[in-house]
Amino acid sequence: MNKEKFFISEALCLPPPAIEYHVGQDLAALFPDKAMIEGEEGFFDIEEFARAEHCTIRLKTFIHTQLMTYWIGPEPQAIHYHTHMVMGMGGVIVGSSQVPKQTGSEKGTIDRVRNAWLEVEWQGNALDVLIMNWPDGPSRTFHYWILADTRDIATDFLASVCKWNMEIRGEVLVFDGNCWYKDEHLFQDIKGATFDNLILRGNLKQDILDDLTQFFASRATYEEYGIPWKRGILFVGPAGNGKTHAVKAIINSMEQPCLYVKSFKAPHGADQFNIHQVFDRARRTAPCILVLEDLDSQLTPQNRSFFLNELDGFAANVGIVTLATTNHPERLDPSILDRPSRFDRKYPFDLPEQPARYAYIVMWNATLKPALRISDGAAVKITEMTEGFSFAYLKELFLSSMMRWIAKPQQDSMEQVMIGQVDVLRDQMVSTGMVADVEVADDQPMPPMFGPMMRRGFLHGRPGF
């Protein structure tokens, strides 16, 4: 018992390269009748698996357990927390949990295992799981050992935990800063974006919807005729004209797993490793939608070739829709912009013409309280006055006018405020020299859905997540 009592502390006193071998050797000696497997798979988040009631876990009482306690603040809709993040090969190496549903003044804490010995009950089997973390240079190493009556039980348990944690359920899987995390808040934001509240010119909206609906429904047909079942789609146009809203609406309507890439940039090391992580995860999740927003800012001369190899190299990318956006197509290399096998569908999101501006103004106007609504004639007049406005600037016209009206509701009508505000916004556009390329939120949300695109939730996973 004394050997087991100080098992973790003695192991952590060893040089980092010796810990894994030493622990495995000692466990084999202590439990000769047990089968043992070990690893560092990032999907092995046993705590989340237990919280979902797929197994039960108990902490061994004879040994000190190191738990990291994190505070969860109020209103997760506005503030999104993450666990203490430590980086290693493959990404984050401490797991996380579902954020408790809390609102208002509620607050709480959550515990996560750092070093612990767990007793596990799973499908009538008793297992022991040892989890350890230790510093190794600038990063930390995560490792686990599973003891069971047979090797099959141990490997089946590992596979069940990893498979469950790999699935995307009511979340968007976001890649940023060398790691993946699941963002349920972003998923809920996306639920408010539909094709019904998206205004685009002509048949563009229907063309996009039909294209993707047909693609996901036609796997058998593609395979029958030997056509690779994959798709590359590029949304092109100035900022603020609905590309982000269209992406959200696609994710919402297609009901396929979504992987969202904020940045390929690696804090430590080359971007190539991150690009490989992204496409490897997409291949294991397919069919899915892989979103690369602002592609021109993601790619560099150093990582472009590697990106192209992952996009249409030897890997098949079966079932992956790579959905990219760019405000600056002139910054994209011709090998990306012009080669059909990479992005075979390109949809333009130009500044809205008069019919689209009018439809957008009418849609916004219908959501306002009666005191704030403008007349049909004012809607026509404002439509004519806003030539050159993006959808984002039309949204700003409504929001800024509402704030001015609320400040002095008795002084002017909403129509008067909006007409005056058109000139104010146009002056701003001209003074910055960004009439057609203003860097504002590329979205078309209806009130009150004008929050930011990205809201970061708890970090999920360990290396390889």
Side-chain angles (χ1 to χ4, degrees):
M1 182 62 70
N2 285 338
K3 177 67 174 175
E4 296 177 12
K5 182 178 181 179
F6 299 105
F7 192 91
I8 293 177
S9 59
E10 289 180 353
L12 292 175
C13 292
L14 297 170
I19 294 176
E20 295 174 15
Y21 186 84
H22 173 85
V23 171
Q25 178 179 257
D26 280 5
L27 286 175
L30 286 170
F31 302 96
D33 297 330
K34 295 285 187 179
M36 180 180 69
I37 62 173
E38 61 180 286
E40 53 187 13
E41 170 58 56
F43 293 104
F44 187 69
D45 191 341
I46 189 174
E47 293 170 274
E48 280 301 292
F49 194 66
R51 278 192 186 88
E53 300 182 349
H54 295 300
C55 72
T56 61
I57 57 176
R58 291 180 299 274
L59 300 173
K60 289 278 193 180
T61 57
F62 62 78
I63 192 169
H64 174 69
T65 297
Q66 184 183 15
L67 298 175
M68 306 301 290
T69 302
Y70 301 95
W71 176 67
I72 311 296
E75 299 185 24
Q77 297 87 351
I79 304 174
H80 305 295
Y81 302 87
H82 57 81
T83 60
H84 175 63
M85 186 175 68
V86 285
M87 305 302 299
M89 288 299 292
V92 178
I93 62 174
V94 289
S96 66
S97 73
Q98 298 283 345
V99 180
K101 307 299 182 188
Q102 302 180 43
T103 58
S105 61
E106 295 179 26
K107 58 185 178 180
T109 60
I110 189 167
D111 293 331
R112 296 293 296 178
V113 164
R114 174 65 65 83
N115 291 287
W117 196 319
L118 308 174
E119 293 180 342
V120 181
E121 292 288 336
W122 173 70
Q123 296 185 358
N125 300 298
L127 304 92
D128 283 273
V129 176
L130 178 64
I131 294 174
M132 291 182 61
N133 283 271
W134 58 88
D136 188 5
S139 63
R140 298 187 67 89
T141 294
F142 162 75
H143 209 84
Y144 56 81
W145 293 259
I146 302 173
L147 296 164
D149 290 335
T150 68
R151 182 175 178 83
D152 284 346
I153 293 173
T155 55
D156 288 349
F157 176 67
L158 172 64
S160 294
V161 174
C162 294
K163 181 180 179 181
W164 185 86
N165 277 292
M166 181 180 176
E167 295 170 353
I168 303 173
R169 299 171 296 274
E171 306 132 331
V172 173
L173 191 59
V174 181
F175 187 84
D176 183 29
N178 214 36
C179 67
W180 289 104
Y181 63 90
K182 291 179 178 179
D183 195 329
E184 61 183 274
H185 303 291
L186 175 57
F187 181 79
Q188 293 304 319
D189 286 347
I190 287 171
K191 285 296 185 183
T194 69
F195 280 102
D196 292 335
N197 57 23
L198 173 65
I199 305 295
L200 295 176
R201 65 167 180 78
N203 296 322
L204 179 59
K205 179 167 63 174
Q206 194 61 46
D207 290 345
I208 294 170
L209 181 59
D210 291 347
D211 184 10
L212 284 160
T213 300
Q214 186 274 338
F215 172 81
F216 282 114
S218 303
R219 178 171 188 171
T221 304
Y222 275 69
E223 292 177 347
E224 179 182 355
Y225 292 98
I227 302 171
W229 189 52
K230 64 177 183 177
R231 175 62 50 82
I233 295 175
L234 184 63
F235 289 170
V236 180
N241 290 299
K243 295 189 296 295
T244 295
H245 189 120
V247 169
K248 290 182 179 180
I250 288 169
I251 296 167
N252 196 12
S253 61
M254 293 299 107
E255 298 184 343
Q256 299 289 341
C258 174
L259 288 71
Y260 180 94
V261 178
K262 287 189 70 177
S263 175
F264 286 132
K265 188 170 180 58
H268 306 285
D271 297 353
Q272 286 89 325
F273 180 71
N274 283 353
I275 294 172
H276 175 72
Q277 275 201 85
V278 165
F279 279 91
D280 179 67
R281 185 68 171 89
R283 291 172 194 128
R284 291 194 279 174
T285 306
C288 66
I289 301 171
L290 174 61
V291 177
L292 308 174
E293 198 160 29
D294 296 323
L295 182 63
D296 53 277
S297 66
Q298 303 257 20
L299 300 182
T300 67
Q302 290 73 36
N303 67 23
R304 183 173 56 239
S305 294
F306 196 86
F307 171 80
L308 294 176
N309 287 335
E310 291 287 344
L311 185 64
D312 71 344
F314 287 111
N317 292 340
V318 174
I320 299 175
V321 170
T322 305
L323 177 56
T325 70
T326 180
N327 300 336
H328 302 283
E330 73 280 359
R331 297 179 186 174
L332 290 174
D333 190 90
S335 62
I336 296 171
L337 196 62
D338 299 331
R339 183 166 170 174
S341 64
R342 288 164 178 165
F343 290 99
D344 50 312
R345 296 286 191 276
K346 299 178 184 69
Y347 292 103
F349 284 71
D350 300 321
L351 288 170
E353 297 179 348
Q354 186 166 324
R357 294 199 309 278
Y358 178 74
Y360 187 78
I361 289 169
V362 169
M363 184 175 66
W364 253 92
N365 195 44
T367 69
L368 303 180
K369 291 189 177 294
L372 287 170
R373 288 179 189 163
I374 62 177
S375 67
D376 292 343
V380 172
K381 182 175 181 178
I382 293 170
T383 299
E384 295 171 348
M385 294 176 65
T386 52
E387 178 73 27
F389 275 46
S390 67
F391 286 119
Y393 259 112
L394 291 175
K395 180 181 74 172
E396 178 60 24
L397 174 61
F398 271 94
L399 294 177
S400 59
S401 298
M402 289 164 62
M403 288 186 284
R404 286 178 177 270
W405 184 90
I406 289 170
K408 297 179 180 180
Q410 306 302 324
Q411 186 168 328
D412 295 308
S413 69
M414 183 63 171
E415 294 181 6
Q416 293 172 312
V417 173
M418 286 192 71
I419 290 171
Q421 194 65 10
V422 169
D423 293 333
V424 172
L425 291 178
R426 189 175 295 281
D427 287 344
Q428 291 177 4
M429 293 162 62
V430 173
S431 66
T432 57
M434 299 172 68
V435 174
D437 192 27
V438 60
E439 297 292 342
V440 291
D442 186 23
D443 211 343
Q444 291 184 20
M446 300 301 296
M449 300 179 297
F450 46 86
M453 171 65 178
M454 288 310 306
R455 292 180 171 176
R456 184 160 185 152
F458 256 54
L459 289 166
H460 269 252
R462 298 181 172 99
F465 189 84

